[in-house]
């Protein structure tokens, strides 16, 4: 490409195209500005020293479609807009349908021209730094972006199919949360990368849809992380705090957006970036909160999530320092692929481990049934349950009964070993709540107050208060032990 060119830029410009000669330009092309509000101009002096050629001015913006491209008519000393007559509320002056602003320049042999580019930002991140590339290089960049998108969304599609296969085999509800997270992540990338440009949507509509997609991505990410780490079971108060925080931050931002559709865009550009950073940090707090009681799940989550954080950091650094090949935003997507690969693998491991435990439990249960059958024939009058009689369900208990599925499994095994107790308890005292029934089952097996607190993951004082409440509800006399009352229930 035998083309000589120079860029010069001007920031905080208060003049329009008719006053371009009053704009003070400075040499250079750096226009990567964070949360910038105002107008900027670019001047390009270009001269072709070779054969006729075509070049393309390419800027780095993804979410700003507010570019205007002008050519200087040296005879009249006026600017004329390229692609005149377009509706600039829906399009800008770019030449090709591509996520980033681009303007083709055709030059004859020895031809020298001057062009001006203007853009403005209402408080969003502005990545307007221009560069001049040959037409072939531009098409290569465009094709590379298209190929990368095929690889990215193709990888996501494969991962979705793998997870659908696991879901069909296992039917675990964690896949509802995971599936929503994957879908909303893809939507977020489609909107943030300007993929709706040129579809007949106004710039304002695209911005508002982008804000909603970012919030959906944050929401599904946090809900999935809490489901993966079982935050609700390990720390009910912390779970409720996170839910309230989600409602306040994401719900508040959405209400503000809907109430002030025409004026909220500039504020929301900064708010969405801050919200995204806030929830990435809070995700790590969620992991830390769950680590003590869910060490394995927390370790798996950190491995998968840290890959995303690593590549996001690379992308952010590259957007300011230009030290890596390719588009800085592509590193976000690479991190997302590794994150989803990690979660797909680790979810499958956790579920397989649970299924293996259930199979082992069932085998030990069959052995326990035989032992108990022989014992019941020998001691038909003794219906007291001992912890040693429940060797099979004890393993389930030791892993903590932290989900409804585990409690249902526990209850099923308990019913098989001693159906009279549960049936009598429910029929004689239908007013008992589910949590009170769980407490009575564990007391009847013979667990101490401390052991029950560990199983239910609550404070020992809470177990003590629960015993007191259930005694009042069952109207147990003060001189009667709760354990004796439960054993008498079976004998009756």
């Amino acid at each position: 490409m035998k083309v000589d060119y120079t860029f010069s830029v001007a920031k905080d410009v208060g003049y329009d195209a008719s006053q371009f000669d009053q704009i003070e330009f400075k040499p250079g092309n750096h226009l990567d500005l964070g949360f910038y509000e105002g107008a900027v101009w670019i001047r390009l002096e270009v001269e072709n020293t070779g054969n006729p050629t075509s070049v393309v001015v390419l800027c780095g913006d993804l979410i700003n479609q507010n570019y205007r491209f002008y050519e200087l008519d040296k005879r009249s000393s006026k600017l004329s807009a390229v692609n005149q007559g377009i509706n600039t509320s829906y399009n800008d002056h770019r030449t090709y349908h591509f996520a980033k602003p681009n303007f083709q320049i055709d030059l004859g042999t020895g031809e020298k021209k001057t062009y001006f580019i203007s853009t403005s930002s209402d408080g969003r991140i502005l990545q307007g730094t221009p560069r001049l590339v040959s037409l072939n290089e531009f098409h290569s960049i465009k094709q590379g972006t298209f190929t990368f998108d095929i690889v990215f969304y193709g990888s996501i599609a494969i991962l979705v199919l793998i997870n659908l296969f696991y879901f069909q085999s296992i039917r675990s509800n964690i896949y509802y949360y995971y599936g929503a997270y994957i879908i909303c992540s893809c939507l977020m990338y489609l909107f943030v990368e300007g993929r709706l440009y040129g579809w007949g949507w106004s710039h304002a509509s695209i911005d508002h849809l982008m804000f909603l997609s970012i919030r959906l991505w944050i929401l599904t990410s946090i809900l999935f992380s809490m489901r993966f780490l079982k935050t609700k079971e390990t720390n009910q108060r912390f779970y409720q705090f996170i839910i309230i925080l989600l409602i306040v931050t994401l719900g508040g931002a959405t209400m503000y957006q809907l109430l002030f559709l025409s004026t909220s865009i500039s504020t929301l550009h900064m708010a969405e970036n801050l919200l995204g950073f806030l929830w990435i940090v809070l995700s790590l707090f969620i992991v830390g909160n769950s680590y003590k009681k869910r060490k394995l799940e927390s370790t798996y989550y950190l491995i998968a999530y840290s890959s995303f954080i690593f590549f996001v950091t690379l992308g952010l650094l590259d957007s300011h320092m230009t030290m890596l090949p390719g588009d800085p935003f592509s590193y976000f997507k690479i991190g997302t692929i590794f994150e989803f690969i990690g979660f797909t693998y680790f979810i499958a491991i956790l579920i397989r481990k649970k299924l293996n435990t259930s199979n082992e439990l069932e085998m030990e249960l069959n052995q326990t049934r035989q032992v108990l059958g022989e014992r019941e024939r020998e001691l038909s009058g003794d219906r007291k349950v001992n912890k040693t009689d429940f060797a099979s369900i004890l393993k389930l208990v030791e892993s903590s009964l932290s989900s409804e599925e585990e409690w249902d499994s526990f209850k099923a095994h308990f019913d098989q070993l001693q159906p009279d107790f549960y049936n009598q308890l429910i029929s004689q005292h239908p007013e008992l709540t589910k949590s009170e029934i769980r407490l009575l089952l564990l007391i009847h097996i013979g667990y101490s107050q401390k052991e029950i607190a560990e199983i239910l993951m609550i404070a020992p004082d809470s177990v003590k208060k629960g015993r007191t409440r259930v005694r009042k509800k069952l109207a147990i006399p003060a001189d009667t032990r709760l354990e004796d009352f439960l054993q008498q229930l079976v004998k009756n």
Side-chain angles (χ1 to χ4, degrees), residues 351-415:
I351 292 178
R352 281 201 299 267
K353 181 180 179 181
K354 186 174 181 178
L355 289 176
N356 290 337
T357 301
S358 298
N359 291 334
E360 293 174 3
L361 190 63
E362 188 64 32
M363 293 175 61
E364 294 186 9
L365 178 61
N366 291 332
Q367 297 175 357
T368 304
R369 286 198 195 101
Q370 296 177 2
V371 173
L372 288 179
E374 294 176 0
R375 185 180 176 194
E376 288 210 3
R377 286 192 291 271
E378 296 173 359
L379 303 170
S380 57
D382 185 6
R383 301 292 292 175
K384 177 166 175 61
V385 183
N386 295 316
K387 283 190 288 184
T388 55
D389 294 337
F390 286 84
S392 57
I393 62 173
L394 181 57
K395 284 199 171 184
L396 182 62
V397 171
E398 287 174 342
S399 68
S400 83
L401 301 173
S402 59
S403 70
E404 290 299 323
E405 293 176 1
E406 291 172 343
W407 269 108
D408 291 341
S409 178
F410 173 84
K411 177 184 169 298
H413 295 320
F414 188 97
D415 287 346

Side-chain angles (χ1 to χ4, degrees), residues 392-448:
S392 57
I393 62 173
L394 181 57
K395 284 199 171 184
L396 182 62
V397 171
E398 287 174 342
S399 68
S400 83
L401 301 173
S402 59
S403 70
E404 290 299 323
E405 293 176 1
E406 291 172 343
W407 269 108
D408 291 341
S409 178
F410 173 84
K411 177 184 169 298
H413 295 320
F414 188 97
D415 287 346
Q416 290 174 325
L417 294 170
Q418 195 175 60
D420 292 344
F421 176 80
Y422 186 80
N423 294 336
Q424 289 287 343
L425 186 64
I426 295 299
S427 62
Q428 293 184 29
H429 303 282
E431 73 279 7
L432 290 171
T433 66
K434 184 183 293 186
S435 60
E436 290 168 342
I437 292 172
R438 291 174 178 177
L439 174 63
L440 293 174
L441 288 178
L442 295 173
I443 291 173
H444 185 52
I445 291 174
Y447 282 99
S448 67

Side-chain angles (χ1 to χ4, degrees), residues 290-304:
S290 304
Y291 190 80
K292 184 176 181 181
K293 295 180 179 178
R294 286 287 181 268
K295 188 173 183 179
L296 181 62
E297 289 90 341
S298 298
T299 302
Y300 286 163
Y301 187 90
L302 278 175
I303 293 172

Side-chain angles (χ1 to χ4, degrees), residues 236-378:
Q236 180 72 21
R237 288 186 178 180
F238 183 71
Y239 173 81
Q240 292 174 345
F241 167 75
I242 294 296
I243 294 297
I244 293 172
L245 199 58
L246 281 170
I247 294 172
V248 171
T249 56
L250 303 186
T254 302
M255 288 298 296
Y256 173 75
Q257 176 183 346
L258 296 176
L259 290 172
F260 305 98
L261 276 175
S262 59
T263 58
S264 62
I265 292 177
S266 60
T267 304
L268 288 172
H269 270 292
M270 180 177 290
E272 299 302 333
N273 280 273
L274 294 176
L275 280 177
F277 177 76
L278 168 68
W279 284 106
I280 286 176
V281 173
L282 282 177
S283 294
L284 300 177
F285 275 99
I286 293 173
V287 177
N289 180 267
S290 304
Y291 190 80
K292 184 176 181 181
K293 295 180 179 178
R294 286 287 181 268
K295 188 173 183 179
L296 181 62
E297 289 90 341
S298 298
T299 302
Y300 286 163
Y301 187 90
L302 278 175
I303 293 172
Y305 196 61
S306 61
S307 63
F308 173 71
I309 298 296
F310 173 75
F311 282 100
V312 166
T313 303
L314 284 181
L316 291 174
L317 290 175
D318 188 55
S319 65
H320 294 285
M321 303 172 63
T322 317
M323 60 182 184
L324 298 170
D327 188 331
F329 201 70
S330 65
Y331 291 95
F332 288 51
K333 297 165 82 170
I334 293 172
T336 297
I337 291 176
F338 279 105
E339 177 192 19
F340 288 161
I341 290 173
F343 281 133
T344 297
Y345 177 69
F346 291 133
I347 290 173
I349 285 181
L350 291 172
I351 292 178
R352 281 201 299 267
K353 181 180 179 181
K354 186 174 181 178
L355 289 176
N356 290 337
T357 301
S358 298
N359 291 334
E360 293 174 3
L361 190 63
E362 188 64 32
M363 293 175 61
E364 294 186 9
L365 178 61
N366 291 332
Q367 297 175 357
T368 304
R369 286 198 195 101
Q370 296 177 2
V371 173
L372 288 179
E374 294 176 0
R375 185 180 176 194
E376 288 210 3
R377 286 192 291 271
E378 296 173 359

Side-chain angles (χ1 to χ4, degrees), residues 6-127:
T6 57
F7 282 112
S8 54
V9 298
K11 304 175 187 176
D12 303 319
V13 177
Y15 303 106
D16 60 22
S18 64
Q19 302 166 307
F20 76 95
D21 54 342
Q22 300 183 48
I23 301 174
E24 296 183 6
F25 288 92
K26 295 182 180 179
N29 68 335
H30 180 72
L31 281 179
D32 289 340
L33 310 173
F35 301 118
Y36 176 77
E37 187 171 0
V40 298
W41 279 71
I42 303 166
R43 182 174 63 194
L44 170 63
E45 301 280 355
V46 59
E47 181 179 5
N48 180 23
T49 59
N51 296 324
T53 187
S54 294
V55 293
V56 176
V57 180
L58 183 64
C59 297
D61 258 317
L62 285 172
I63 60 173
N64 186 8
Q65 294 86 34
N66 191 30
Y67 280 77
R68 308 289 178 260
F69 189 43
Y70 304 94
E71 181 178 355
L72 175 63
D73 185 342
K74 294 185 178 179
R75 288 175 298 181
S76 63
S77 297
K78 292 182 179 181
L79 299 184
S80 59
V82 176
N83 297 334
Q84 294 187 32
I86 67 170
N87 187 339
T88 54
S89 295
Y90 290 80
N91 295 282
D92 59 17
H93 291 165
R94 71 187 65 192
T95 305
Y96 295 95
H97 180 64
F98 186 56
K100 295 182 178 180
N102 57 89
F103 315 102
Q104 181 173 323
I105 300 172
D106 299 316
L107 297 169
T109 301
E111 190 170 14
K112 184 177 181 180
K113 293 184 177 182
T114 302
Y115 293 93
F116 289 82
I117 306 168
S118 70
T119 186
S120 61
S121 172
D122 50 11
R124 70 190 73 191
I125 294 175
L126 178 68
Q127 294 179 305

